[in-house]
Amino acid sequence: MNSRSWLVLALCFASAASSSRVHAAPSAPGFPKKVSGLVTSPLATGRQPDGMVRLYFSIGDELHCLQANGRGCDGFPVALGQKVAVLGLPAVGDLDGDGVEEVAVALSDGRVVVVKADGVPLAGFSFRAPKGLQAGPSFLQLDGERRPELVVGDKEGRLHALRADGSERAGFPIGTGGAVTSAASAGLLGEPARLALVWGNEEGRVYAADSRGKALPGFPAVTGYLVSGQPAIGDLDGDGLNEVAVASQDFKVYAVRHDGSLLPGYPVAVGARLLSGPALGDLDGDGRLELVVAATDGQLHALDTRGQPLKGFPVKLGERLVGAALVADLDRDGEEEVLATTADGKLHVLKANARAFPGFPARLEGLPDSGPVVIELDGQVLIAQAAGERASAFKVRRVGKSARPFAWPEPGHDSARGGRRFPNPPSFADLQISPKTPVTDDELKASYRFFDLDGDPEPGTEVRWFREGKEVPELAGKLSVPAAKTAKGQRWRFELSAPGAVSRQSAEIVIANSSPGAPKITF
């Protein structure tokens, strides 16, 4: 090879290397951060009153904390006891109602430890399950706007709801049989909607109970094996009623209605064990939620409300996926991305069409046991991930102006492990005009069903009528149209909107001529 050929080849390699450097996901300032040992729990995020984001995690029998700038937190690490391990995920919430979050961990000796932001144990709180624990805790609001309770299940099959002083909520613990093996979720279920807790156990059963501890009709739903992933609550089919999505270790994904029945198309067999719960997000932009699950065979699955895979899925990312998959609009362009981590130390980010997101996969400086979390701080989106003895945080370049909350930025949706899609915009369903086949003598009447999956009251709903595709201003705010306003052959529909709501419009109807009356005969 002559010198000119060598020069061309060298320039090609240099160009490729430069391109790789430009497109690789950049690390956030202060990261990657070497910590004092192998990280042994998933990350949990916290946010202090001053807005500073924290990352909580365990290293052996210690609870550690890093700030979003990579610096340690005062008062940490916290010794949790001798020869104990953290079970499941840490949870973050304000249990004592002082406006500052606490972090809670379930331990292998049966204790739940709650630590204040300064590393000091929460005064007065004490809990130990005599037969031990098998899953992590959740901070769940069971009384509307009041402070949350700390909910955790034990190996005796009892679900506990604990206050800041360690006492049980009235109606708890709930006894269910087999050991509780997942964190509990909470959301509105049923019609009329009521707050319900949902959790899985070692027998593959998925239980649901109201905030007083009373079982919901139709539950438990039954899967074929242990459920270790936290159930996910959200309106999967867009009907204004929440469903429950469950990933079971029987290699199947379930979507269960509020009465315990399955959505058509479910369960879906994915061919491998599912250790973590589903993430929910609208990947294809059709207004309905998809389910995303990470399987132990390295396949990432995205399923629609009918149980069908989205185009491009499943996608093989590696030999094994660790931790839960996430869904978030990372670059704020209004379209969701999907995140998952492989056991060989790669953090993957995919677009909704299953193609790689620019800058990813990112190489981690260690072998991970869990997945990432997504953070937004001062307008900057970060992806944090622990692997081996290092914590990493990658910056994502913002290209859009969307300010929507992230769809599913952490396992269990949020650091409290609430397990439900939140917040949700109010919306409308069952829009109808009656009569369905009107004639010129008929008054048109509009009807609809308002719903808010977060339990908020109906805002000021605006009603607008359209005749032949053009708005009729004098009918604004009216739920009926006088017969005198209509004529044969006209097309009518109405539209509903409200502050913060998803607008909806009815089907169009066509006015028919009135039936002729009885003939008049005179003599």
Side-chain angles (χ1 to χ4, degrees):
M1 183 180 295
N2 59 37
S3 59
R4 183 175 180 180
S5 299
W6 277 112
L7 177 60
V8 171
L9 187 60
L11 288 173
C12 289
F13 276 116
S15 175
S18 174
S19 175
S20 175
R21 286 194 299 270
V22 169
H23 294 293
S27 291
F31 291 91
K33 175 77 172 182
K34 191 177 188 306
V35 294
S36 60
L38 290 173
V39 177
T40 52
S41 79
L43 297 176
T45 66
R47 191 177 292 268
Q48 296 302 292
D50 62 2
M52 178 56 70
V53 171
R54 290 181 163 195
L55 297 173
Y56 295 103
F57 54 93
S58 68
I59 296 176
D61 53 13
E62 293 181 337
L63 181 64
H64 288 248
C65 174
L66 289 176
Q67 299 180 71
N69 57 15
R71 297 174 182 172
C73 307
D74 293 340
F76 290 82
V78 175
L80 300 173
Q82 293 186 343
K83 298 180 179 180
V84 295
V86 171
L87 304 174
L89 290 84
V92 179
D94 183 13
L95 188 61
D96 60 3
D98 68 349
V100 181
E101 295 174 330
E102 290 85 44
V103 57
V105 289
L107 301 175
S108 55
D109 64 359
R111 288 182 298 135
V112 175
V113 172
V114 181
V115 177
K116 301 283 290 180
D118 58 4
V120 175
L122 178 62
F125 183 88
S126 177
F127 176 80
R128 184 193 292 267
K131 297 294 180 65
L133 305 168
Q134 203 165 329
S138 306
F139 284 101
L140 303 178
Q141 286 190 324
L142 305 182
D143 281 325
E145 299 301 319
R146 291 181 57 187
R147 68 184 65 170
E149 272 98 3
L150 182 59
V151 178
V152 66
D154 64 26
K155 285 187 176 181
E156 294 183 85
R158 299 180 300 175
L159 190 74
H160 303 266
L162 307 169
R163 300 188 177 95
D165 60 3
S167 64
E168 292 269 9
R169 176 183 172 86
F172 289 79
I174 307 170
T176 58
V180 177
T181 50
S182 84
S185 302
L188 295 177
L189 291 180
E191 192 176 18
R194 53 177 165 167
L195 187 66
L197 297 96
V198 184
W199 68 98
N201 78 353
E202 66 179 354
E203 298 169 345
R205 296 178 181 272
V206 180
Y207 288 86
D210 65 21
S211 58
R212 297 170 297 174
K214 183 179 179 181
L216 266 60
F219 286 85
V222 179
T223 78
Y225 197 56
L226 179 150
V227 174
S228 56
Q230 186 173 358
I233 300 174
D235 181 12
L236 301 179
D237 56 7
D239 66 351
L241 301 172
N242 278 327
E243 286 80 38
V244 179
V246 178
S248 174
Q249 290 198 34
D250 67 358
F251 299 16
K252 294 178 183 177
V253 181
Y254 295 77
V256 183
R257 295 190 182 97
H258 63 85
D259 60 2
S261 63
L262 289 166
L263 280 183
Y266 286 88
V268 176
V270 299
R273 202 172 295 280
L274 300 168
L275 303 180
S276 301
L280 305 181
D282 182 10
L283 300 186
D284 57 9
D286 67 351
R288 297 184 179 185
L289 299 178
E290 281 74 49
L291 289 69
V292 181
V293 292
T296 53
D297 64 352
Q299 298 265 17
L300 183 66
H301 297 261
L303 304 168
D304 68 16
T305 187
R306 298 165 297 148
Q308 296 299 307
L310 264 61
K311 185 176 181 180
F313 291 90
V315 58
K316 179 81 168 177
L317 297 179
E319 291 302 312
R320 184 165 64 93
L321 293 176
V322 294
L326 306 179
V327 178
D329 176 11
L330 298 176
D331 57 5
R332 307 315 252 152
D333 68 348
E335 297 182 358
E336 305 288 7
E337 282 78 45
V338 181
L339 299 85
T341 302
T342 50
D344 61 356
K346 291 180 181 178
L347 171 60
H348 294 261
V349 179
L350 304 180
K351 296 180 180 180
N353 60 9
R355 295 178 180 175
F357 186 78
F360 292 87
R363 171 63 69 178
L364 304 172
E365 297 189 14
L367 298 180
D369 288 324
S370 58
V373 296
V374 178
I375 308 163
E376 188 162 22
L377 179 63
D378 298 328
Q380 174 66 64
V381 177
L382 304 177
I383 308 172
Q385 170 81 60
E389 296 183 352
R390 282 176 170 78
S392 297
F394 301 97
K395 296 192 296 183
V396 179
R397 187 170 69 91
R398 189 184 187 109
V399 300
K401 297 182 179 180
S402 174
R404 290 185 310 173
F406 292 129
W408 207 271
E410 297 196 37
H413 180 270
D414 48 69
S415 59
R417 313 307 172 200
R420 69 181 175 108
R421 165 84 169 188
F422 177 86
N424 297 280
S427 191
F428 310 93
D430 303 332
L431 278 67
Q432 293 183 356
I433 297 176
S434 60
K436 293 182 179 180
T437 55
V439 297
T440 52
D441 292 339
D442 289 327
E443 179 185 43
L444 305 182
K445 294 183 179 181
S447 63
Y448 66 93
R449 176 169 59 89
F450 169 81
F451 65 88
D452 188 295
L453 295 167
D454 302 330
D456 295 326
E458 182 173 358
T461 299
E462 297 181 1
V463 184
R464 301 162 64 199
W465 286 92
F466 292 81
R467 179 176 56 205
E468 299 296 329
K470 295 181 180 180
E471 185 178 359
V472 184
E474 63 266 28
L475 295 176
K478 307 290 186 181
L479 287 174
S480 62
V481 177
K485 291 283 187 182
T486 69
K488 177 185 175 182
Q490 288 179 346
R491 294 176 292 111
W492 284 83
R493 64 177 171 85
F494 71 93
E495 184 177 288
L496 300 174
S497 61
V502 178
S503 298
R504 292 283 186 265
Q505 64 181 26
S506 70
E508 207 167 51
I509 56 92
V510 178
I511 307 296
N513 199 15
S514 299
S515 301
K520 295 182 179 180
I521 302 174
T522 60
F523 296 93

